[in-house]
Amino acid sequence: MPLTKDFKDTIKARAERDPEFRAGLFREAIEAMLSDDLETGKVLLRDYVNATVGFEALALDMDKDPKSLMRMLSAKGNPRADNLLAMVAHLKLREGVSFSIATNNSLIE
């Protein structure tokens, strides 16, 4: 079921005013992908990009076609790992965040 415009506007407005929400949305996208749920990860990452930088600006940063980036995160998109990881790296830099992985109660930095 496609998201309504009101919902997308709500996400964008919240992301603009709440840095913790913005970072949380990004983190959830990464965690979904790392948990072998690529479809949810792509949806969340697409929502994050739309609510923050936008595909046009991200494409300029990455020297890519914005439509190519949008297709990567579409329902039928099948992004290559190098392209997806490059996107995540650019978004991390823009957002000013880093991620850590914890396993068996120990933190891996």
Side-chain angles (χ1 to χ4, degrees):
M1 177 166 105
L3 297 177
T4 65
K5 185 164 177 57
D6 288 340
F7 183 77
K8 288 180 181 180
D9 291 342
T10 300
I11 297 293
K12 184 169 177 56
R14 175 89 187 265
E16 287 174 353
R17 73 174 186 276
D18 187 347
E20 286 184 32
F21 174 80
R22 198 171 52 242
L25 183 59
F26 190 22
R27 183 185 66 249
E28 288 295 322
I30 302 306
E31 287 178 358
M33 289 181 208
L34 292 174
S35 297
D36 196 28
D37 188 357
L38 182 60
E39 296 310 310
T40 299
K42 289 189 312 181
V43 168
L44 292 171
L45 195 56
R46 184 175 59 241
D47 288 346
Y48 173 82
V49 171
N50 281 321
T52 58
V53 62
F55 281 99
E56 294 289 331
L58 180 59
L60 284 174
D61 283 354
M62 296 180 66
D63 195 29
K64 298 274 187 188
D65 177 21
K67 289 183 181 180
S68 174
L69 299 180
M70 286 184 252
R71 274 192 302 271
M72 279 176 42
L73 300 181
S74 73
K76 293 183 180 181
N78 189 15
R80 290 187 354 208
D82 59 339
N83 289 327
L84 187 58
L85 293 173
M87 179 186 290
V88 169
H90 278 84
L91 293 171
K92 280 178 42 183
L93 188 61
R94 271 187 165 270
E95 189 66 39
V97 297
S98 63
F99 297 105
S100 300
I101 299 172
T103 100
N104 298 330
N105 297 327
S106 61
L107 185 64
I108 300 171
E109 299 265 352

